[in-house]
Structures are given as structure tokens and as C-alpha cells.
Amino acid sequence: MRDGSTRWITLAELTHPDIVAFDAARPDFNVALAQFVIALLQSIDLAADEDAWWDRFEQVPSAAVLQQYFAPLEEAFELDGPGMRFMQDPDLPETSESPVAIAALLIDSPGENALRNNSDHFVKRGRVEGMCPSCAATALFTLQINAPSGGAGHRTGLRGGGPLTTLLELSPARSLWHDLWLNVQPRDSYLRKSNCNVEADKPGARFPWMESLEVLQPGESISPMMVHPDHVLWSQPRRIRLDFRTTTEGQCGICGRKDQILVHQYTTRNYGLNYKQGWLHPLSPYYEHKDEWLPLHPQTGGVGYRHWSGWVLGQDSPKHKIRRAAVLEARLKADFSVGQDLRLWCSGYEMDNMKPICWHESRMPLYRLQECDAQQTQRISAAVGAWTQSAQLAVSQLRSAVRDAWFGAEAKGDFGAVDTAFWDKTEGAFYLSLRILMAEVLQAGLDEDARHEALSQLNQDWLNTLRKTTLHLFEQDFVGTGAIEKQNPARVASAYKKLRGSLYGKLHKELLNIPL
């Protein structure tokens, strides 16, 4: 809540003005809950067109109105019962001779190999013995939308395993409703822009758990034209059915609340819905690979300003093309002026095949980017692209210098700590420069010469930041911290001289359009 307290709510209460954020026990649950509500709002006709969308943004619907819109979908969101169940395979039995522990719904739970080899050193087994229905539903949805590869026939999600999700937010926060509504598109444009089949009318075409697998996927895979556009938001690659026959009363292993129903296990089978190429999810950016658009995934090093240009503006260079998320594309092209800044909430699992490496989550300021026209956006893109390229060159030069000083040029190994320190140290300066640039681009009355002079000064200031930070990291944080008797002074001096020469050479100036 706005005052910092926490409470449990119903879905219809989401529009309460004092609710500002989700507060689940796990960060991946918070992002999943946001995607769940966005998917639900997108699946109802709450805003038929752009004018109606604005009405819902400015005049927030009441709980009664929201409940009225949710009512027709209630049948599809039953978690327990003899019929169709939310995110569960209707063809599976509730119990089986080889049930799976409920903790396996959590992506970071140790797998069968880890348990067999006793290698669950950091994430231990037995942390979660039972889940309340609320946490079980959230865990189930989180797994289905992020599903990593899970062995033979255990399918990955529609966006692959551990996709990158980018969501728009207001900065500062206004309410949770406003943040979620930013990521919902008007119904008419959402359906028009989808590459799925708007005419698909089978029960499972929208919600896959409402149809038998054989009916929904008669062949080896499922394609966009076989389902309704809403299906993209409710993808179900895993065949799972929760066991509500062997529940007990007790304390939930996730949220800690006492509940009369704790779910301990579930039944699963492999070879579920097989999402091949061609799927486009509105909450993820995509990159082009061999004439095919693939969803981006978080990589080692986390989320930082080096991703700002591609994820926020997109990229269209001959060697690397990125398409920003569809909701971001829709909002930044809708003359969305609300008198305050925006930011991008970026998150996702970094995966190594079946193993989660890290959960990455960060927020990128967009400032008043939504108020920029095409020409102004192009100016920002060119400047930010040059800053990012020069930073990538600087971190590469720093990494090489540290390696040469420590071991010599032939050494192999992981120098990721050097990269991480560099990006962390320069992030503040980048966003300060971006804020100044945005203000100057939007400032009326500046002539072309004044704009050019202001950008030249920003470029020079950025180069000074790169030089100062890179040399400081070499001198103070990495090489300079070692005992002198354990180092090779000649090798250190040579690496330092080469690093300074690179930083003050012509490559950085050429990238930043600074006169030589």
C-alpha cells in the first residue's frame, strides 16, 4: 500500500488508488502477477479503442465495474474441481503413482540430477513442502510463462526458457492500476497487430487449458494461426495437474500464511504444446537471427544502460536488429503525455539450458521520451548509440589491460568482474547525460548551432567520464590493489601505458564525433 503496509486483495480491488505495487515473497512472482493482470485486462474488452483506453487511465474503473468485466471469464479461472482448471492439462489424472513435489514448480528448485548427485549446494531441497492455493496458482503461472527446458519433451515457454520481460511504469509511481494499464493495448489495435487468428473460436484457442491437447495441437507443434491472439498471453507448454486430493492444513512454504489447504504435489507428463517459430509476445523485445525474429533473454552481467538503446528504441543496423516490445512501441507512438516521466521495468531469468543462473531485475528511466517526435527520437538514438559504443570500447580496453597486467596477453579466463564494475561505475553518469540530452532535445527555441554545441559538450563530458572511471578501476580497484612484491611492475607499466594510449587515442573521438 502507499503507506508501506501490505494486504491481500481480490482482483477487483486492483483499482484502489492506494495500491502501488505487488509484494509477493519472491521477485519472479511479482513480475508474474503483473503479467497475469495485464493478460487478464488485455483479454477483456475494457477499452475497445484509444479513446476508451484514455478514459480508463484518467477515470479508473470501480471494483464493481471490473468484477462485471471479469465475470464472463470466471469458468476459465477455476484452480480446483472436476472440469477444466487454470493452467492445468484436462487430460491428466489428479493423482499418479509418481507424483512430483510441489516445490518443482519453482524454477530455481534443484532438478532431479541435482538431487541424485547431491549437488544442491546453494538452493537446497526441502525448502517448500506445501503451498497455499494462491501461491500454487502463482507458481504455476510463473512456470508456464518462463518455462525452461526440462528434459525430453518438457517444452519451453512460448518465448523460450527465461524470457526478458519489459513493462512500462510511471515515475514516480501513481498507482498499481496505472502502471499495469500502461501495458494494456486498446482491444482493436491489439487484435489488428497480432499475427494470430482473430477468428479462432475453439474454447482452448484463447485459454489452452480449456481444450484437450489433441484437439488444440493435432500435429507436432502449434502455430500462431491456429489460436486466438489472447493465447499468446496464456501459453501453456507444460502438462501439469495439481493434486487437491492429498492436501493438508498448515503453513504455506512461500507466503508463510496458515491455510486449510496446502498443495504438496502434482502430476505431470511431457510433450505438451510445442511453440515453434513465429510467435510474438507483446511484453518482450525481439532480435533478428537468420531472417527470423527471436525473443531476447537476460545474459551474464545483468541489465544495464548498455541495453537502453536496443530495448527502448530498437536497433536497425545491418549486423544487429532489435525490435522493442509491442506495448512500448504502442505507447511511445501514441503521443502519450501525462506530465511525468516513464521508466522500463526489465526482468527475467538467465538460464543455462535447464539450470537458472540468476534472476535479473532492473528499472531504466525513460524520462519524457514519449513526448519526442520522430526527429527528436532519432537525435537521442544517435547520441545514446555513440555513448554506448564508446563505453563498450572502453570496457574492452580495460579488460585487456587488467588481463595483461595480471597474467600477460595469452591468459584465458573469466574477467566478468571487470565488466560489471565498469558498467556499475558509469551508469549514474550515463543517465545524468541522458536526462540533460532529453531536456535539450525537448527545449523549444534552441537553434541548430546551439543543439550541436550542447551535444558536443555532452560527448566530451562522457569521454572524460570513461577515461577517469577506466583508469581509476585499473589503478585503484583491480591492478593497484595487489601487493607490489607479487606483481610484475614492467608488465603493469606496459599495460597501463597501452590503456592510456587507447583512451586518449582517436577511436573514442571518432565514435563521439569529437575533433581530433
Side-chain angles (χ1 to χ4, degrees), residues 183-343:
N183 299 280
V184 178
Q185 302 177 61
R187 188 69 174 164
D188 61 348
S189 61
Y190 171 73
L191 296 177
R192 186 176 64 253
K193 294 175 183 177
S194 173
N195 65 341
C196 296
N197 184 6
V198 180
E199 304 298 328
D201 57 0
K202 290 186 294 187
R206 295 179 69 199
F207 307 111
W209 56 90
M210 300 295 288
E211 196 79 74
S212 174
L213 175 65
E214 287 72 19
V215 174
L216 196 56
Q217 180 180 276
E220 294 183 354
S221 63
I222 187 170
S223 67
M225 285 306 295
M226 297 168 64
V227 297
H228 189 274
D230 289 344
H231 184 112
V232 173
L233 303 167
W234 303 106
S235 57
Q236 185 183 322
R238 297 292 183 88
R239 303 186 66 189
I240 291 172
R241 196 167 183 86
L242 300 179
D243 183 355
F244 280 95
R245 294 185 181 181
T246 59
T247 60
T248 62
E249 181 180 349
Q251 189 176 37
C252 176
I254 299 292
C255 66
R257 293 189 305 166
K258 189 173 182 180
D259 202 292
Q260 293 182 340
I261 300 176
L262 287 187
V263 185
H264 296 279
Q265 59 191 33
Y266 63 89
T267 300
T268 186
R269 296 286 186 275
N270 53 3
Y271 298 104
L273 291 177
N274 189 14
Y275 296 99
K276 288 291 188 180
Q277 297 88 349
W279 295 91
L280 296 175
H281 195 285
L283 304 181
S284 289
Y286 283 72
Y287 71 100
E288 189 179 47
H289 178 68
K290 296 181 179 179
D291 298 325
E292 181 183 353
W293 287 98
L294 302 176
L296 283 167
H297 295 75
Q299 301 295 323
T300 300
V303 177
Y305 73 84
R306 63 191 181 279
H307 302 115
W308 194 94
S309 181
W311 297 359
V312 173
L313 301 175
Q315 192 170 333
D316 193 24
S317 65
K319 293 184 178 180
H320 198 46
K321 294 184 179 181
I322 297 177
R323 181 187 294 171
R324 61 188 176 185
V327 290
L328 187 58
E329 179 77 14
R331 275 302 119 220
L332 294 184
K333 284 194 172 183
D335 190 25
F336 185 75
S337 180
V338 290
Q340 67 182 98
D341 293 346
L342 295 177
R343 63 184 182 184

Side-chain angles (χ1 to χ4, degrees), residues 29 48 68 146 162 244 284 305 345 357 369 426 436:
F29 277 21
Q68 181 182 353
N146 293 288
F244 280 95
S284 289
Y305 73 84
W345 181 14
I357 303 300
L369 181 64
T426 53
I436 296 172

